[in-house]
């Protein structure tokens, strides 16, 4: 089966949450399916309320473009190929670290989005979640 299930999303979120606890930073963690539809989301105790939408939009962005939001951000600076992409999709596109496509059997089946810390913290937690798939 290539589609992400709720059980998959829970496993991904649990791994991300464990990493967030390990680094001492409460996070918002979202998992979307291949169509960028939200499967599951958590906001850890103490995580910023303002990061709820950011985590969901990071997952959406990562799946919509099949690229990490970190790399999209690097390529959306002035003079780069994706400069201006931030203004597309009614402002839903996130261009900072924490969004990672999720693949199974070489096919992108969804994405994880994490928000609540620094870019490096968000990326680290997202990587831990993605690695659990």
């Amino acid at each position: 089966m290539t589609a992400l299930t709720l059980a998959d999303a829970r496993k991904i979120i649990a791994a991300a949450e464990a990493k967030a606890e390990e680094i001492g930073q409460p996070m918002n963690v979202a998992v979307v399916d291949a169509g960028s539809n939200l499967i599951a989301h958590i906001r850890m105790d103490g995580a910023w309320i303002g990061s709820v939408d950011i985590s969901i939009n990071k997952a959406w962005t990562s799946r919509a473009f099949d690229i990490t939001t970190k790399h999209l951000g690097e390529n959306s600076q002035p003079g780069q190929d994706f400069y201006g992409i931030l203004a597309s999709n009614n402002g839903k596109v996130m261009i900072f670290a924490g969004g990672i496509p999720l693949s199974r059997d070489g096919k992108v089946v969804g994405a994880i989005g994490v928000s609540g810390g620094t870019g490096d913290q968000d990326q680290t937690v997202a990587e831990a979640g993605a690695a659990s798939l």
Side-chain angles (χ1 to χ4, degrees), residues 15-27 44 114 116-126 128:
E17 186 175 11
K19 180 54 89 171
E21 288 173 355
E22 179 185 314
I23 67 171
Q25 182 62 50
M27 297 283 189
M44 295 173 66
V114 175
T118 65
D120 287 340
Q121 289 172 324
D122 291 356
Q123 187 69 22
T124 296
V125 171

Side-chain angles (χ1 to χ4, degrees), residues 41-91:
H41 175 273
I42 64 153
R43 184 174 70 85
M44 295 173 66
D45 293 341
W48 296 329
I49 294 169
S51 287
V52 171
D53 286 346
I54 295 170
S55 65
I56 293 168
N57 287 343
K58 282 182 183 183
W60 181 89
T61 300
S62 193
R63 174 56 189 116
F65 297 102
D66 293 339
I67 188 172
T68 68
T69 55
K70 179 180 178 180
H71 289 121
L72 185 61
E74 292 166 355
N75 288 291
S76 64
Q77 301 306 306
Q80 297 299 313
D81 289 341
F82 298 115
Y83 180 67
I85 198 166
L86 180 63
S88 71
N89 293 279
N90 296 313

